[in-house]
Amino acid sequence: MNIKLLGLLGAAVLFAGCTKTAEVKTPVNMKAKNYAEALRSADKSCKVDEDCTSVNKGCCMCAGKEAVNKEAAAALKPIWEKECALAACTLQMCYVEINTSCRQGACVGTPKPMKEYFAQ
């Protein structure tokens, strides 16, 4: 009787080990209450400059840009579009663009040089 019980317990342990799933890492907190919270949680990891891009910090262009991982940018896009669809922004020229790069495994943004805003 004890041998059957031990066999059953062993099978249960093996089955439990086989059904354990790997943790899935999401590029942003999909339960975020708003775009700003989702942006704060955005993945900024990278290996090369091409892993990085910039996203808006808020609904209006003058809010600036933030450097994030491209997968995080794709996940943020529908959240931004939903939240900012009816946002009222002023129509003024803002110098808030950034150039993104990968430094020490994280996406970073540096202000775009003023000369790059104007046609040569």
Side-chain angles (χ1 to χ4, degrees):
M1 179 94 167
N2 286 338
I3 293 175
K4 286 183 181 180
L5 183 59
L6 286 175
L8 183 61
L9 286 174
V13 168
L14 284 174
F15 179 74
C18 292
T19 59
K20 186 175 181 179
T21 57
E23 185 179 323
V24 177
K25 184 179 176 192
T26 57
V28 297
N29 176 5
M30 298 310 286
K31 294 181 181 178
K33 295 177 184 143
N34 56 41
Y35 180 75
E37 187 177 303
L39 179 58
R40 280 192 297 278
S41 73
D43 180 16
K44 295 184 179 184
S45 66
C46 60
K47 293 184 180 172
V48 294
D49 291 348
E50 290 75 23
D51 292 341
C52 304
T53 191
S54 64
V55 296
N56 291 320
K57 284 185 179 180
C59 293
C60 296
M61 183 178 152
C62 290
K65 299 280 189 169
E66 181 84 20
V68 298
N69 178 284
K70 283 187 176 181
E71 289 180 19
L76 287 166
K77 185 177 180 181
I79 301 168
W80 183 86
E81 288 173 344
K82 181 179 178 185
E83 187 170 313
C84 299
L86 301 174
C89 299
T90 59
L91 296 175
Q92 59 185 354
M93 181 59 178
C94 301
Y95 300 103
V96 295
E97 294 293 321
I98 61 174
N99 293 323
T100 59
S101 61
C102 182
R103 292 195 190 144
Q104 298 177 336
C107 294
V108 296
T110 53
K112 185 176 179 179
M114 188 62 67
K115 65 181 179 182
E116 291 184 22
Y117 283 96
F118 304 102
Q120 299 292 326

